[in-house]
Amino acid sequence: MDDGTAVLLGLEDEFTVLLIERIDPGRVKALIEVRASEGACPGCGVLTSRVKDRPIMAVKDLKVSGQILDLWWRKRRLVCQQTGCQRATFT
């Protein structure tokens, strides 16, 4: 996806725009994903990049330039690899 699209949506720092698709004349679908490939476990603070799955969540329907923008987020559900940590997975 063009970086210009991310700039237009104000997502260039943290998110990558994976898809922009016209659904009908008054509706557009956008799919985004976080740029960072790893995250700190909220339970123990250890960094991990091991992905368990990537659920797609509807974030919001926004009005943009006289049309509806369906914003979807492909999250990364990460696995904490720290032995003894109570938190098994997190997004």
Side-chain angles (χ1 to χ4, degrees):
M1 182 56 56
D2 186 295
D3 286 338
T5 304
V7 172
L8 285 172
L9 294 173
L11 302 170
E12 69 272 18
D13 292 335
E14 293 185 51
F15 293 91
T16 298
V17 178
L18 300 175
L19 170 80
I20 296 286
E21 177 180 44
R22 171 133 338 257
I23 304 301
D24 61 44
R27 185 174 290 271
V28 174
K29 175 183 178 180
L31 177 63
I32 61 173
E33 182 176 59
V34 172
R35 287 183 186 266
S37 61
E38 65 181 8
C41 173
C44 66
V46 173
L47 288 176
T48 183
S49 60
R50 184 170 168 212
V51 176
K52 178 181 180 188
D53 61 7
R54 293 180 175 198
I56 297 176
M57 314 292 288
V59 178
K60 194 164 186 164
D61 294 340
L62 307 166
K63 287 202 174 209
V64 177
S65 300
Q67 59 189 354
I68 299 295
L69 171 65
D70 296 329
L71 185 60
W72 293 79
W73 177 12
R74 186 169 80 171
K75 289 186 172 186
R76 288 187 183 114
R77 188 176 321 276
L78 300 173
V79 177
C80 181
Q81 298 176 308
Q82 182 66 28
T83 306
C85 180
Q86 297 291 320
R87 188 78 175 240
T89 65
F90 60 95
T91 59

